[in-house]
Amino acid sequence: MDCCSVFQGASPSRLGYGGMRFPVVPGTGNIDEEKAKCLIDRAIRGGITYFDTAWPYHEGQSELFLGRALSAYPRGSYFLATKLPCWLVESREQAREILDQQLERLQTPYVDFYLLHNLNRNMWEKMVKLDILSLLEEYQAAGKLHRLGFSFHDSYPVFEEILRYRSWDFCQIQLNYMDTEHQAGLRGLELARSLSIPVVVMEPVKGGSLAQLPEEVAKPLQEADPEATPSRWAMRWVASQPGVAVILSGMTTMEQLEDNLDTFSPVHPLSGEEEKLVEETARRLRARLNNGCTGCRYCLPCPSGVDIPGSFQVWNNMAVYQNQRLTKRAWKNLDPEERPDRCVGCGRCETLCPQQIPIREHLAQITRQVEHFLEQN
Ligand code: SF4
Ligand code: SF4
């Protein structure tokens, strides 16, 4: 298993285990601890030493489970990452309570990598206003948090502002061969590299979308390497980007874990030819988009509450990946109060969209098309 040596005093594995998609007991939502423990044990035997969790994963069960599962191993043999649920924090005292509870849940005197979870502009401004950073620094000085970072979901300018604000030990961004210009994107990765801030990558297979490609899109990749899964191509693409320290994968099955272990033992960066093949795959996928919404959010807020970029994301991903399971999950996650059929056609959003998308016309098609797609066998 490849390790990275960009963190001072720590060389975690390049492949990190994301603790948000453990197997669950059907019909209950509870983590299937027996199966999940087998995965953790196999991951450790395979050389994975970076384990990432967060307060809300599996509705709070992920931290508790990982605490139990990892307590079987010497504390110095693995690195633990968890995150402050910024959206729940309204005071320093509350953040302190959460932090203390997390150390208890994880059965550990310290966390190796601690992140402000899910930063966007509003969340960041709240953290600054509440002076949460000085609290984290207090915990760091006491040896309870070893490295401070943040995970990020907003546009590049917000990323740059946060990244330059202080001397972070690391940061975590979404990156895959389809999201090169989305959120922080490759530009953000390059900025972090120029500031010598190591980057942990999440969503390397875009929430599973790049693990199962439409047949005609996957063909060139399959022909080039009949043994390689689409996930392996996606992982290798991320691992080939300079500045990427750790790549997280939320593995649910032993098959996914074995495939990833194989990919990273050791990981082979893409050759020039292979890079072109992946670029061609991305081009073919993008050609299937319904529209060019970049998720910039300039069109918001909508007076009727429509989540315009969220609606387009579901619609576009459905068209591109043709994955019924993922479309169903994304559609279910879209708040009924924010769905496209709430649009009253005022037209305000269209005056603000830099991509000049006929938003009303497109929103009007979404509900019918998504529901029709989900009804198909
Ligand atoms: S046209 Fe529809 S989506 Fe756009 S701002 Fe008006 S109500 Fe919202
Ligand atoms: S619809 Fe236009 S303004 Fe709204 S998020 Fe998409 S690209 Fe940006």
Side-chain angles (χ1 to χ4, degrees):
M1 167 67 53
D2 279 349
C3 291
C4 63
S5 52
V6 289
F7 299 104
Q8 259 187 346
S11 304
S13 53
R14 293 205 72 200
L15 174 62
Y17 206 120
M20 79 297 276
R21 292 194 192 102
F22 287 123
V24 294
V25 179
T28 68
N30 295 332
I31 294 176
D32 185 330
E33 295 217 6
E34 204 177 312
K35 278 191 189 158
K37 179 76 171 57
C38 286
L39 289 165
I40 296 292
D41 291 341
R42 174 67 187 111
I44 288 181
R45 281 200 315 278
I48 294 180
T49 58
Y50 190 103
F51 293 88
D52 170 86
T53 181
W55 180 270
Y57 292 172
H58 287 283
E59 292 174 7
Q61 295 175 51
S62 177
E63 286 184 331
L64 281 164
F65 164 71
L66 262 185
R68 279 194 291 274
L70 292 172
S71 66
Y73 296 91
R75 182 61 188 87
S77 65
Y78 59 88
F79 299 93
L80 201 48
T82 195
K83 315 178 186 85
L84 185 72
C86 302
W87 57 96
L88 295 180
V89 173
E90 297 303 335
S91 68
R92 275 170 62 93
E93 293 62 44
Q94 209 184 354
R96 191 185 290 281
E97 275 169 30
I98 290 174
L99 266 158
D100 291 342
Q101 227 176 308
Q102 286 180 302
L103 293 170
E104 232 171 85
R105 281 180 175 194
L106 289 162
Q107 304 187 22
T108 179
Y110 64 90
V111 172
D112 304 271
F113 294 83
Y114 196 75
L115 303 89
L116 291 171
H117 197 177
N118 197 12
L119 285 190
N120 54 30
R121 175 165 301 285
N122 292 342
M123 213 77 88
W124 171 240
E125 283 172 359
K126 183 169 80 164
M127 292 298 103
V128 172
K129 193 166 153 223
L130 295 174
D131 196 17
I132 297 301
L133 287 164
S134 73
L135 178 73
L136 300 188
E137 283 159 2
E138 180 192 314
Y139 272 66
Q140 190 175 33
K144 293 180 179 180
L145 305 176
H146 286 183
R147 290 165 199 83
L148 298 181
F150 63 92
S151 68
F152 181 79
H153 293 284
D154 205 329
S155 59
Y156 174 84
V158 183
F159 178 73
E160 177 163 4
E161 187 183 318
I162 300 173
L163 200 70
R164 289 190 189 277
Y165 186 85
R166 69 186 295 281
S167 178
W168 298 99
D169 300 307
F170 70 109
C171 64
Q172 185 167 311
I173 63 170
Q174 173 170 335
L175 191 70
N176 54 65
Y177 66 75
M178 285 298 284
D179 287 330
T180 52
E181 287 169 38
H182 185 57
Q183 299 183 7
L186 283 177
R187 207 171 146 208
L189 178 65
E190 183 48 39
L191 177 71
R193 196 159 76 102
S194 71
L195 297 172
S196 303
I197 298 174
V199 173
V200 175
V201 165
M202 56 186 156
E203 304 290 4
V205 288
K206 205 172 164 56
S209 298
L210 303 178
Q212 215 186 321
L213 299 173
E215 219 176 295
E216 66 275 20
V217 176
K219 214 168 163 212
L221 297 179
Q222 257 162 10
E223 283 169 3
D225 183 352
E227 301 295 310
T229 57
S231 301
R232 179 170 304 194
W233 284 99
M235 288 291 193
R236 286 182 61 211
W237 181 87
V238 177
S240 304
Q241 306 307 312
V244 172
V246 173
I247 303 167
L248 296 176
S249 178
M251 295 164 273
T252 310
T253 65
M254 197 56 87
E255 199 185 348
Q256 290 166 346
L257 173 58
E258 293 295 352
D259 188 37
N260 279 338
L261 288 175
D262 206 29
T263 303
F264 281 84
S265 302
V267 68
H268 298 290
L270 295 176
S271 67
E273 260 324 288
E274 289 175 325
E275 202 143 333
K276 276 189 204 141
L277 272 178
V278 174
E279 271 168 28
E280 173 59 16
T281 305
R283 196 195 59 73
R284 287 179 182 214
L285 287 171
R286 287 196 187 102
R288 301 161 67 102
L289 287 166
N290 284 316
N291 69 25
C293 175
T294 60
C296 69
R297 306 176 72 83
Y298 294 154
C299 51
L300 298 180
C302 154
S304 300
V306 179
D307 179 354
I308 302 166
S311 303
F312 287 155
Q313 193 177 22
V314 177
W315 192 45
N316 277 324
N317 283 345
M318 174 189 84
V320 172
Y321 303 105
Q322 295 286 300
N323 187 318
Q324 220 173 17
R325 184 178 57 83
L326 295 179
T327 307
K328 191 173 174 185
R329 192 168 73 191
W331 188 239
K332 206 173 131 210
N333 286 342
L334 206 58
D335 187 332
E337 299 292 311
E338 300 180 352
R339 287 205 177 165
D341 41 26
R342 307 284 295 193
C343 173
V344 295
C346 71
R348 179 188 173 275
C349 53
E350 290 182 15
T351 62
L352 300 168
C353 175
Q355 307 300 323
Q356 297 173 339
I357 293 171
I359 296 178
R360 287 172 287 185
E361 187 194 318
H362 285 186
L363 287 177
Q365 301 174 44
I366 297 179
T367 303
R368 188 179 42 81
Q369 286 187 17
V370 170
E371 288 179 354
H372 177 69
F373 176 68
L374 293 179
E375 278 161 14
Q376 289 169 4
N377 289 323

